[in-house]
Amino acid sequence: SQQGEEDPQALSIQEGENATMNCSYKTSINNLQWYRQNSGRGLVHLILIRSNEREKHSGRLRVTLDTSKKSSSLLITASRAADTASYFCATLKSSGSARQLTFGSGTQLTVLP
Amino acid sequence: GAGVSQSPRYKVAKRGQDVALRCDPISGHVSLFWYQQALGQGPEFLTYFQNEAQLDKSGLPSDRFFAERPEGSVSTLKIQRTQQEDSAVYLCASSLARSSTMSYEQYFGPGTRLTVT
């Protein structure tokens, strides 16, 4: 079953605007990762934030993590039409030997030119 | 090749048929994962290998699903007696697994879309 929920399920914005997607999860984590998936393609890793980090930047991406609320957000600034894709958060558990990622249900982002 | 490759990209099977899906991970990657992605959902974990050892198969939905990685490189996911509910995209991912690292970035292949009719 999925780890948690992503919000919103779908988001449509104009090119140049910022897009914010949220992710909630249920268990204690080692790290949280965001992936992008274009239609019919595999997932591409965007950014990883560790459980002891609160904010991380990579180019036009900004990720925040609030472990007390078990939530994360992904901000894409100055969006482009090429950013149109599904975005998934994924968590790695902090306990046990599990190495698999647990994904959210995703946000479908559409950036209109 | 630089990335994870999977074959076939598309597979149509009649209900009851057996299928085999192949994954070629990035050279040198120790860990290999299989995920199942239903339409409109995020991927769900199926099984995990470290080298040739299958360390976790807790996500396999039934005993009709079987995975192997005999030489610690290429992996095959086999589904016996396919059912309609097996229709999904099957994603393979690999990663450099160093036990001391906290980072587990996974590199995904393009997936195999399985349709069971």
Side-chain angles (χ1 to χ4, degrees), chain A residues 1-2 30-31 33 35 37 40-43 45 50 88 92 99-101 103-105, chain B residues 9 33 35 37 40-45 48 56 91 102-106 108-110:
Chain A
S1 60
Q2 310 277 218
N30 178 298
N31 64 61
Q33 305 176 33
Y35 286 79
Q37 185 176 38
R41 311 284 283 275
L43 288 94
H45 182 267
R50 296 186 173 85
F88 295 92
L92 182 72
R99 288 292 173 262
Q100 71 270 24
L101 295 170
F103 286 84
S105 51
Chain B
R9 290 293 312 278
F33 304 81
Y35 293 86
Q37 186 176 22
Q41 298 295 313
E44 294 207 8
F45 169 76
Y48 156 60
D56 189 341
L91 295 165
M102 290 173 64
S103 300
Y104 286 95
E105 178 179 341
Q106 295 184 15
F108 282 80

Side-chain angles (χ1 to χ4, degrees), chain B residues 51-65:
Chain B
N51 296 307
E52 68 278 5
Q54 189 174 19
L55 298 187
D56 189 341
K57 53 182 180 179
S58 61
L60 295 176
S62 78
D63 59 8
R64 296 186 295 104
F65 286 69

Side-chain angles (χ1 to χ4, degrees), chain B residues 23-54:
Chain B
C23 171
D24 283 81
I26 293 172
S27 177
H29 277 195
V30 170
S31 294
L32 186 146
F33 304 81
W34 284 98
Y35 293 86
Q36 180 190 59
Q37 186 176 22
L39 190 64
Q41 298 295 313
E44 294 207 8
F45 169 76
L46 293 176
T47 187
Y48 156 60
F49 290 85
Q50 188 164 317
N51 296 307
E52 68 278 5
Q54 189 174 19

Side-chain angles (χ1 to χ4, degrees), chain A residues 6-69:
Chain A
E6 290 183 61
D7 163 47
Q9 288 189 330
L11 178 61
S12 185
I13 58 174
Q14 292 293 134
E15 205 165 27
E17 292 180 338
N18 296 342
T20 300
M21 289 161 267
N22 303 296
C23 163
S24 62
Y25 57 90
K26 295 174 183 172
T27 63
S28 294
I29 62 169
N30 178 298
N31 64 61
L32 185 144
Q33 305 176 33
W34 285 90
Y35 286 79
R36 183 186 72 214
Q37 185 176 38
N38 290 87
S39 180
R41 311 284 283 275
L43 288 94
V44 174
H45 182 267
L46 295 176
I47 194 166
L48 179 152
I49 186 165
R50 296 186 173 85
S51 60
N52 60 353
E53 297 176 311
R54 292 296 166 258
E55 187 171 314
K56 202 160 183 181
H57 297 254
S58 176
R60 293 184 297 114
L61 305 180
R62 172 176 168 255
V63 170
T64 62
L65 179 64
D66 186 336
T67 52
S68 67
K69 294 181 180 176

Side-chain angles (χ1 to χ4, degrees), chain B:
Chain B
V4 178
S5 60
Q6 292 186 245
S7 61
R9 290 293 312 278
Y10 303 91
K11 177 71 181 176
V12 178
K14 285 188 164 47
R15 191 160 57 97
Q17 257 186 322
D18 297 350
V19 297
L21 313 179
R22 177 187 168 107
C23 171
D24 283 81
I26 293 172
S27 177
H29 277 195
V30 170
S31 294
L32 186 146
F33 304 81
W34 284 98
Y35 293 86
Q36 180 190 59
Q37 186 176 22
L39 190 64
Q41 298 295 313
E44 294 207 8
F45 169 76
L46 293 176
T47 187
Y48 156 60
F49 290 85
Q50 188 164 317
N51 296 307
E52 68 278 5
Q54 189 174 19
L55 298 187
D56 189 341
K57 53 182 180 179
S58 61
L60 295 176
S62 78
D63 59 8
R64 296 186 295 104
F65 286 69
F66 171 75
E68 59 183 7
R69 193 186 186 198
E71 296 176 0
S73 177
V74 170
S75 177
T76 304
L77 176 67
K78 298 179 179 177
I79 309 173
Q80 298 176 323
R81 304 181 303 281
T82 51
Q83 304 293 316
Q84 281 192 313
E85 62 262 28
D86 299 336
S87 295
V89 175
Y90 291 85
L91 295 165
C92 175
S94 69
S95 75
L96 273 171
R98 301 189 187 101
S99 60
S100 60
T101 186
M102 290 173 64
S103 300
Y104 286 95
E105 178 179 341
Q106 295 184 15
Y107 296 83
F108 282 80
T112 295
R113 182 177 296 278
L114 172 66
T115 303
V116 181
T117 60

